[in-house]
Amino acid sequence: MSRPSTSLTKDALATVALCGYTIAVAVGFARVFSGWAFLSDFVLLAVVGHGFSFGLRRAGVSGWLAIPAQALVLVWLLGFVYYRDTLNLLIPGGTTWDAVQNQLSLVRDQFPTAVAPVLYDVVGWASLSALSLVLVISMSDAFAFRAQARGEALVPGGVLFVFIAALGDDRLRIASTALLVGTGVLAVIALRQLHDRDRATVLSARRSATSLAAPVALASALVIALLAGAIGPRLPGAGEEPLYETKGRSGTNLIDNPLVDIRSRLTNLGNVELFRVNADEEAYWRLITLAAFDGQRFTLPPSDLDPVDAPTSGDGTRIRQQIQILALEGDVVPAAADPVQASGVSDGEQLRLRQQDDSSTLLSPQDFEPGDLFDIVSVAPDADPETLASAGVTAVPDEIYLELPDNLPDVLFEETERLTAGITSPYEQALALQSWFRDPTQFTYSLEVQSGHDANAIESFFEVRAGYCEQFAATFAAMARVAGIPSRVAVGYTPGTQEEPGWFTVIGKNAHAWPELWFDGIGWVAFEPTPGRGAPGAESYTGVPAQQDESGTGGGDGSGADPLPGPTPTAPPTVVQNDSPAVTTTTIPGDAVPDTPADAGIPSDPDPNIEPVPVGSGDDDGSGGFPWFPIVVISLVVLVLAAPAIIRRLLRLRSRVHGPRDQIAAAWQRACAAASDVGVVGSPAMTATEWATATAAVMPVAARPMASLAEVVDLVSFARPDELDVERRGTFGDSIADDCELWATQIDKITTDTMTATQRVERYFTAYR
């Protein structure tokens, strides 16, 4: 190991400046994560990573050993911070790797539809983000101190920052960008002060040190950062919509992706008026129910399309509704449970509705148009505590409502057994589960947890103890099945806001999911495990009053902004009265059923062998399904592989921009570095001629280009400025500086040709001259 020749003070200042830039990149994650819990961990990674590299440099450790050592230390630190419980004597093993795979698998599934901010406590998001920061630390440190780059060292962090900005929300958008720009300027100035000494000792006058360097650097960084923060947001087009939306995206029809898209609708479409309802009484307006659960997702089972008919079991309360479509897309009609009669009108024409009975879904024969009206009669089951307490659960319509896969986490069974121990009534068991989920000391309602309802998501939900309706409903339904109670997950909307007598306006933030349990002689009964939500008319048996987000029609964030205007109705609304005559049941002949659109998610073919389309499988309209995760991984791999070549090219271009003398100096340094790689022993005290002689002894093939290059270097170094025209045409028709670059390239190629394959790979990633 050779001792470093760089100034300790300049090296330390450059390290601190680059570490500050990395921390500024980490601050950008505030646009992705909720709160600031992430920052202390990321600062620790930045300080340890850059500090460890600084120590290795001062100890004279070569880049070939230092770069992998730094990466190993950072990866170990990442494991210690996020997977400490899986380490064996502080050493990661198979258990650690399994935990990493499980968490990253969860993130991969959530990535296409994730909407910022996310909870940092969900370990998969935290560790993936930390890993990306580890890559930035390793690459920027190698570029800055091993390749002696300046601005190029900021590229990895800048790429990550832009990627974060594309996925994040508007939190600290201007402030974080200004901080990045300011720290980047400081880092470039510090690196330039560190590396410019190389040129000063050979081919140009030594720059005099000045005490004004530090104040000027700080002032420049501050001014540029302020200008970036003040001018950037005012540039033309800065406030326009993006050309391509990178955040979790989806349409306004929950049936396209009924669970995975709920959070996106709650946050992104909260102020969109979807439809209006004129009804006898408030209800949850249900779109669909999901019965099949394979441990990965709740899905639609294969089913026939049937006439709209009476409910499966029990008597109930009739609820008459008129649904007016505003901005809801698709062909799935929202309705109170359970629809028994239905008809519709679109642009003056009668619509014959159909029903997928197993999923309690009403379908229009065509996609909705604003102003479409649907008259529906539903029968809500009569459920009271006494009847439910004595009801059994054995006469379930299909065993699919009890099926459980083998890959569910143990904690699901353990918690179910603990909560239902000693309780024999299925109804009382359901209440025990519901109370546990609604206990504020156990769980918290939060939109900052990403969508997910597979086994990994359930395990993460138990760990984080925070989520929104999707996690509560799906986990409750799974636990009910563990207890032997048939269950399914319903997806639809809460009642909405009553803005005029009889009419409820339903907006995007009213999107909701809830579990339904089967009781013999009664039918499907809705429960409500989600805190802050309660089904109208269910208080008598759930003990939960009717509740929903009451922050107004301004959006899911409660901002109070005005809702988007709905279209003018194409027909005057008719108030449905309790004493209205019954609507004739709509019977649809089998040959008159129009084909269901492919994107509706409901099989139109009654063939029972048709496989169900899994929720979130990507077989929808493509919204939110862009394969970001593999593209990001592939892009990072390509960037890592191409980085050395890119840096070398940038260094050569920069030397040309600085002038022919700098170009000659860069060519000489590259030639000397290549000679050193094959065993030429040199020192800064050697003249160019001595270097050429030493190179000829070890690498005779390179003797001629090395001697030619050394001759020019000696002339440039020792001749008076007026005695040598470095811009005149040289031997090969180009300038003398271009000739020197050509000779350096020849020496570099000769060096590579004499190496083994392993040595070539090592040299590609460690030699940047």
Side-chain angles (χ1 to χ4, degrees), residues 208-367:
S208 59
T210 172
S211 59
L212 294 177
V216 168
L218 290 171
S220 300
L222 181 61
V223 169
I224 294 173
L226 291 176
L227 288 175
I231 298 176
R234 292 172 172 78
L235 292 176
E240 299 297 326
E241 292 296 321
L243 295 177
Y244 184 81
E245 180 57 72
T246 57
K247 302 175 178 66
R249 301 172 295 112
S250 55
T252 55
N253 184 10
L254 285 175
I255 194 59
D256 287 337
N257 218 331
L259 280 181
V260 173
D261 283 351
I262 288 179
R263 181 179 182 276
S264 179
R265 302 177 201 285
L266 289 170
T267 55
N268 294 352
L269 301 171
N271 62 340
V272 178
E273 293 184 346
L274 301 179
F275 59 94
R276 304 171 70 208
V277 184
N278 186 343
D280 292 344
E281 56 187 86
E282 294 179 272
Y284 276 177
W285 315 118
R286 190 174 64 190
L287 287 174
I288 193 171
T289 62
L290 306 175
F293 180 51
D294 61 3
Q296 295 299 314
R297 51 184 57 87
F298 278 91
T299 60
L300 300 174
S303 178
D304 297 340
L305 294 175
D306 301 317
V308 183
D309 209 342
T312 308
S313 177
D315 299 322
T317 302
R318 296 171 71 86
I319 304 176
R320 295 176 174 86
Q321 313 130 70
Q322 186 177 69
I323 310 293
Q324 181 191 45
I325 301 300
L326 299 178
L328 187 66
E329 297 177 354
D331 63 350
V332 182
V333 183
D338 282 303
V340 296
Q341 299 171 353
S343 62
V345 177
S346 177
D347 198 21
E349 297 184 4
Q350 290 292 126
L351 299 175
R352 295 187 297 175
L353 274 65
R354 51 199 171 157
Q355 182 182 54
Q356 189 189 46
D357 187 61
D358 290 345
S359 63
S360 303
T361 302
L362 283 179
L363 295 173
S364 171
Q366 64 186 36
D367 285 347

Side-chain angles (χ1 to χ4, degrees), residues 276-281 322 498-504 575-576:
R276 304 171 70 208
V277 184
N278 186 343
D280 292 344
E281 56 187 86
Q322 186 177 69
Q498 187 170 1
E499 298 183 347
E500 57 183 280
W503 283 99
F504 298 90
V575 178
V576 180

Side-chain angles (χ1 to χ4, degrees), residues 242-538:
L243 295 177
Y244 184 81
E245 180 57 72
T246 57
K247 302 175 178 66
R249 301 172 295 112
S250 55
T252 55
N253 184 10
L254 285 175
I255 194 59
D256 287 337
N257 218 331
L259 280 181
V260 173
D261 283 351
I262 288 179
R263 181 179 182 276
S264 179
R265 302 177 201 285
L266 289 170
T267 55
N268 294 352
L269 301 171
N271 62 340
V272 178
E273 293 184 346
L274 301 179
F275 59 94
R276 304 171 70 208
V277 184
N278 186 343
D280 292 344
E281 56 187 86
E282 294 179 272
Y284 276 177
W285 315 118
R286 190 174 64 190
L287 287 174
I288 193 171
T289 62
L290 306 175
F293 180 51
D294 61 3
Q296 295 299 314
R297 51 184 57 87
F298 278 91
T299 60
L300 300 174
S303 178
D304 297 340
L305 294 175
D306 301 317
V308 183
D309 209 342
T312 308
S313 177
D315 299 322
T317 302
R318 296 171 71 86
I319 304 176
R320 295 176 174 86
Q321 313 130 70
Q322 186 177 69
I323 310 293
Q324 181 191 45
I325 301 300
L326 299 178
L328 187 66
E329 297 177 354
D331 63 350
V332 182
V333 183
D338 282 303
V340 296
Q341 299 171 353
S343 62
V345 177
S346 177
D347 198 21
E349 297 184 4
Q350 290 292 126
L351 299 175
R352 295 187 297 175
L353 274 65
R354 51 199 171 157
Q355 182 182 54
Q356 189 189 46
D357 187 61
D358 290 345
S359 63
S360 303
T361 302
L362 283 179
L363 295 173
S364 171
Q366 64 186 36
D367 285 347
F368 296 141
E369 295 290 341
D372 286 356
L373 290 172
F374 298 93
D375 289 297
I376 302 166
V377 177
S378 302
V379 176
D382 286 335
D384 59 80
E386 293 76 15
T387 305
L388 288 170
S390 60
V393 293
T394 57
V396 61
D398 196 304
E399 290 300 316
I400 193 173
Y401 299 108
L402 284 168
E403 291 178 357
L404 284 171
D406 297 330
N407 62 339
L408 289 176
D410 293 338
V411 65
L412 189 75
F413 296 89
E414 294 167 358
E415 290 293 347
T416 303
E417 183 177 356
R418 181 181 67 83
L419 293 168
T420 60
I423 305 176
T424 57
S425 166
Y427 168 61
E428 296 293 340
Q429 291 176 336
L431 287 181
L433 295 176
Q434 178 182 270
S435 298
W436 183 61
F437 282 114
R438 296 183 67 89
D439 184 349
T441 65
Q442 296 292 332
F443 290 91
T444 303
Y445 182 87
S446 174
L447 280 175
E448 293 164 355
V449 174
Q450 292 307 300
S451 56
H453 49 281
D454 61 9
N456 284 339
I458 289 175
E459 190 168 11
S460 177
F461 180 51
F462 277 123
E463 179 182 347
V464 178
R465 297 298 177 98
Y468 57 103
C469 56
E470 176 182 337
Q471 286 86 14
F472 284 98
T475 308
F476 180 100
M479 295 179 74
R481 293 189 184 188
V482 170
I485 308 173
S487 66
R488 63 188 188 182
V489 175
V491 179
Y493 299 90
T494 55
T497 304
Q498 187 170 1
E499 298 183 347
E500 57 183 280
W503 283 99
F504 298 90
T505 299
V506 180
I507 61 179
K509 73 166 187 177
N510 296 130
H512 189 46
W514 63 93
E516 295 181 346
L517 306 185
W518 172 268
F519 291 90
D520 299 343
I522 301 173
W524 290 104
V525 178
F527 284 78
E528 188 51 272
T530 304
R533 303 295 182 269

